[in-house]
């Protein structure tokens, strides 16, 4: 079993969503980002240190059984600026404001902020639209996920749970739709667990 499969199977088996998982270039540090499933999150529940600890303990056991070596394991929540890594993430947060960084510049820039939604009548779940204000009027930027280097939610402070009210629907201005050229050939308020084999360390620990 690969470490990616081991992590995903463990996290989802415990009833959490695997938001991101990365291993350092040296292979020593394994970083795992988890979140609650959509119904729980929509109800206002948030990841806390107990959730991170629960996943950490189980991952330690599974990685040891599978003989997958690491020097440090970090399990954390995604934070208010939650990364969007796949189509399901975009669908979950459609209508909210996000920051995206393109792999290749479009009209001299890579970074955009706006409200994300699926492209109308798009046949693929990889096609999305970002409506943003260029200072004069709303513009619509159509893109596919393989053109994006990084995407994150714009943090919204709310006492009702993550996200608050979705951003209002926006429509592109009279300038029409602009499309980027093809690219060239958690932490949630401190909820985090970092452990090295044989020694545990808890960072933060504030209830979310």
């Amino acid at each position: 079993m690969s470490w990616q499969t081991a992590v995903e199977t463990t996290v989802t088996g415990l009833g959490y969503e695997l938001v991101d998982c990365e291993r350092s270039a040296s292979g020593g540090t394994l970083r795992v980002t988890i979140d609650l499933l959509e119904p729980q999150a929509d109800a206002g529940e948030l990841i806390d240190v107990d959730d991170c600890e629960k996943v950490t303990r189980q991952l330690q056991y599974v990685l040891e059984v599978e003989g997958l070596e690491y020097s440090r394991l970090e399990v954390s929540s995604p934070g208010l600026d939650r990364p969007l890594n796949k189509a399901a993430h975009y669908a979950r947060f459609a209508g909210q404001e996000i920051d995206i960084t393109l792999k290749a510049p479009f009209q001299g820039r890579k970074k955009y902020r706006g409200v994300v939604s699926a492209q109308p009548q798009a046949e693929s779940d990889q096609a999305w639209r970002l409506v943003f204000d260029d200072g004069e009027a709303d513009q619509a930027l159509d893109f596919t996920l393989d053109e994006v280097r990084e995407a994150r939610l714009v943090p919204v402070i709310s006492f009702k749970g993550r996200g608050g009210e979705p951003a209002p629907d926006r429509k592109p201005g009279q300038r029409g739709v602009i499309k980027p050229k093809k690219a060239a050939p958690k932490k949630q308020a401190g909820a985090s667990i970092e452990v090295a084999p044989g020694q545990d360390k808890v960072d933060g620990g504030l209830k979310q």
Side-chain angles (χ1 to χ4, degrees):
M1 182 184 294
S2 67
W3 64 268
Q4 296 100 326
T5 301
V7 170
E8 183 169 10
T9 301
T10 301
V11 172
T12 56
L14 290 172
Y16 297 95
E17 177 190 3
L18 178 62
V19 176
D20 197 15
C21 180
E22 62 178 356
R23 196 171 187 177
S24 63
S26 64
T29 300
L30 186 59
R31 297 182 179 89
V32 179
T33 305
I34 64 171
D35 200 1
L36 297 175
L37 299 180
E38 188 170 356
Q40 296 170 283
D42 288 346
E45 297 181 41
L46 297 169
I47 286 287
D48 62 22
V49 71
D50 292 333
D51 296 307
C52 294
E53 183 175 6
K54 178 180 178 181
V55 173
T56 297
R57 300 301 181 207
Q58 188 63 20
L59 277 176
Q60 285 179 309
Y61 171 76
V62 172
L63 294 173
E64 180 178 357
V65 169
E66 295 295 331
L68 300 170
E69 297 182 357
Y70 65 95
S71 61
R72 186 179 184 85
L73 173 63
E74 299 176 3
V75 177
S76 64
S77 65
L80 294 176
D81 59 341
R82 187 190 200 276
L84 308 180
N85 298 321
K86 53 189 177 182
H89 295 167
Y90 284 79
R92 177 173 174 176
F93 296 104
Q96 296 197 33
E97 196 171 29
I98 69 169
D99 287 322
I100 66 170
T101 302
L102 301 174
K103 293 178 180 177
F106 175 70
Q107 294 188 343
R109 58 189 282 201
K110 292 184 178 181
K111 296 184 178 182
Y112 290 84
R113 171 176 288 190
V115 177
V116 67
S117 63
Q119 288 184 30
Q121 301 179 338
E123 297 181 358
S124 170
D125 64 358
Q126 301 297 299
W128 296 88
R129 171 172 291 180
L130 190 79
V131 176
F132 65 96
D133 185 354
D134 69 353
E136 298 181 3
D138 280 351
Q139 295 279 8
L141 170 68
D142 285 357
F143 63 93
T144 57
L145 298 192
D146 62 1
E147 293 173 314
V148 177
R149 182 179 303 279
E150 182 182 45
R152 288 182 174 274
L153 287 178
V154 173
V156 176
I157 305 301
S158 171
F159 294 104
K160 297 180 181 180
R162 181 181 53 233
E165 294 298 324
D169 291 337
R170 293 186 181 178
K171 297 181 179 179
Q174 298 302 313
R175 300 187 181 188
V177 175
I178 56 178
K179 296 185 178 182
K181 299 176 181 178
K182 293 293 183 181
K186 134 186 125 352
K187 300 178 181 179
Q188 190 78 31
S192 173
I193 297 289
E194 303 178 6
V195 300
Q199 183 176 5
D200 293 352
K201 178 182 178 182
V202 178
D203 289 346
L206 297 178
K207 292 285 185 179
Q208 303 307 303

